[in-house]
Amino acid sequence: METLAFIPSPSAGEIHLGPLPLRGYALCIILGVFVAVWLGGRRWVARGGQAGTVADIAVWAVPFGLVGGRLYHVITDYQLYFGEGRNPVDAVRIWDGGLGIWGAIALGALGAWIGCRRRGIALPAYADAVAPGIVLAQALGRWGNWFNQELYGRPTDLPWALKIDPEHRPVDTPDLATYHPTFLYESLWCVGVALLVIWADRRFRLGHGRAFALYVAGYTVGRFWIEYMRVDDAHHVLGMRLNNWTAIVVFLLAVVYIVVSAKKRPGREEIVEPEPEPEPEPEAEPEPGTDTGGPDSADADAAPEGSSAEGSSSAKESSEDGPGRGKPSGGKPAGDGGGDGPAGAESVAKGPEPRRKAVDGPAS
């Protein structure tokens, strides 16, 4: 079979940055995570959420998703890691490829639920915001299969066929060099699903998890026919690959969720994230030299040093009696009507006496 044009495969699955090897598969996963967080954050803010929330929850969702994806792959392809001539340690070598999207989404959703619960956010609203970013992350992650020369389709001589090196070809067709680039098909399909979800979300104002369910339904449709083209080893159930059955079940669940959710909770959430509680204002520090010993300190500071409480009371009463009617500091009456006794009261009642002109000079 001669092919006029084809897509070449990388000669190596890693790039060396000095002594540090950078594997193409890991690079694609990392880029996908950044795109998902960036786009999800923009959509979350547009829906009324706070900047940084998507990244904070991703701290929980991403590790859970990686573990879930690896577990699904190891469980469904256990023959690659366990048995005669196999090394079980390879099960943790995630950088060599092998992530099942079904397990990644399932366990990643658990991590996202934990993160949402810690912030008081409903998981469906968060899922709607990050759905297009997740499927774009899948589109980028599929290019990791290109670096590893894995998960390709049946032999073909189409102009966009993928050339596979001899050591990575199926044992049944060692002499055939070009195959369907199923990684490219799925990558392009995922981009289309992302655009579909963004358009439908704007057009129909999807809410309560329906944008995420649309992503799931759209992805499974493409995964079904792409999975059908692959030639890598896989478990079969009733003559069909296991991932095809998984795609069918997940598609039906997503469609049922869309229908039921639209009837029970039409429209979109008005509030997706509670307002943060205001931080308590710090107490004002007293000025230097100010006594904060208690309520009596102000009166004590106001009184002259050495004066008694009785003296302060007398001064207060003197000021209230008006000019000329108070008591001097010695406590003696200042004139006939200046006392606090009956004479003073009678003088107040009669009014002030006329001022007499002093003719004898100052009193001695």
Side-chain angles (χ1 to χ4, degrees):
M1 180 184 299
E2 295 183 1
T3 305
L4 298 179
F6 56 84
I7 301 173
S9 293
S11 58
E14 61 184 19
I15 302 172
H16 287 271
L17 301 177
L20 180 65
L22 180 60
R23 298 185 178 274
Y25 189 90
L27 177 62
C28 292
I29 296 297
I30 293 172
L31 290 176
V33 170
F34 274 108
V35 169
V37 172
W38 170 78
L39 181 58
R42 289 176 60 90
R43 286 172 52 81
W44 183 254
V45 171
R47 294 188 64 172
Q50 302 171 28
T53 296
V54 169
D56 292 342
I57 298 177
V59 172
W60 290 89
V62 172
F64 273 72
L66 292 175
V67 173
R70 189 62 175 177
L71 284 176
Y72 182 90
H73 168 72
V74 172
I75 292 173
T76 56
D77 290 313
Y78 62 89
Q79 73 281 358
L80 301 177
Y81 307 100
F82 306 99
E84 186 178 357
R86 299 294 181 177
N87 185 4
V89 178
D90 292 339
V92 300
R93 295 173 62 90
I94 190 174
W95 52 86
D96 288 336
L99 289 176
I101 186 61
W102 316 113
I105 294 299
L107 214 57
L110 175 60
W113 176 79
I114 295 174
C116 288
R117 186 176 179 83
R118 290 169 60 90
R119 295 186 67 109
I121 296 172
L123 178 61
Y126 179 84
D128 285 341
V130 300
I134 292 177
V135 72
L136 285 180
Q138 293 177 234
L140 290 170
R142 274 306 175 197
W143 284 85
N145 303 136
W146 177 61
F147 280 98
N148 290 345
Q149 298 192 43
E150 60 184 1
L151 306 185
Y152 43 83
R154 295 188 293 269
T156 182
D157 58 351
L158 293 172
W160 55 85
L162 175 66
K163 185 177 181 180
I164 299 298
D165 294 337
E167 61 270 22
H168 297 288
R169 296 173 189 172
V171 295
D172 298 336
T173 57
D175 298 331
L176 299 179
T178 55
Y179 299 82
H180 278 282
T182 51
F183 84 91
L184 179 60
Y185 299 160
E186 186 168 338
S187 180
L188 295 176
W189 183 269
C190 287
V191 173
V193 171
L195 295 176
L196 171 65
V197 173
I198 293 174
W199 171 82
D201 193 27
R202 291 178 178 177
R203 175 65 177 81
F204 302 105
R205 294 183 56 81
L206 302 177
H208 302 284
R210 289 188 288 275
F212 185 84
L214 177 61
Y215 139 66
V216 172
Y219 171 75
T220 53
V221 171
R223 180 62 184 266
F224 182 86
W225 66 267
I226 294 171
E227 186 76 21
Y228 187 75
M229 297 178 63
R230 283 167 44 173
V231 295
D232 53 294
D233 294 334
H235 293 285
H236 287 71
V237 178
L238 300 178
M240 194 162 54
R241 292 168 68 97
L242 176 61
N243 282 334
N244 284 115
W245 286 109
T246 305
I248 292 174
V249 172
V250 174
F251 171 80
L252 293 176
L253 291 176
V255 172
V256 170
Y257 180 88
I258 293 174
V259 174
V260 174
S261 175
K263 291 182 178 180
K264 290 187 174 182
R265 293 185 175 183
R268 177 188 287 180
E269 301 91 339
E270 295 296 332
I271 300 176
V272 296
E273 185 171 7
E275 292 291 336
E277 297 182 0
E279 298 182 359
E281 297 182 0
E283 296 183 359
E285 297 183 359
E287 297 181 0
T290 303
D291 186 3
T292 57
D296 296 334
S297 61
D299 295 338
D301 291 342
E305 185 176 356
S307 62
S308 62
E310 182 179 355
S312 300
S313 176
S314 300
K316 182 177 180 181
E317 292 173 358
S318 174
S319 62
E320 291 176 352
D321 289 339
R325 296 184 177 86
K327 296 179 180 179
S329 59
K332 296 179 180 181
D336 295 338
D340 292 334
E346 184 180 356
S347 175
V348 172
K350 292 181 179 181
E353 295 181 359
R355 185 181 300 271
R356 289 177 293 182
K357 184 177 181 181
V359 293
D360 298 333
S364 58

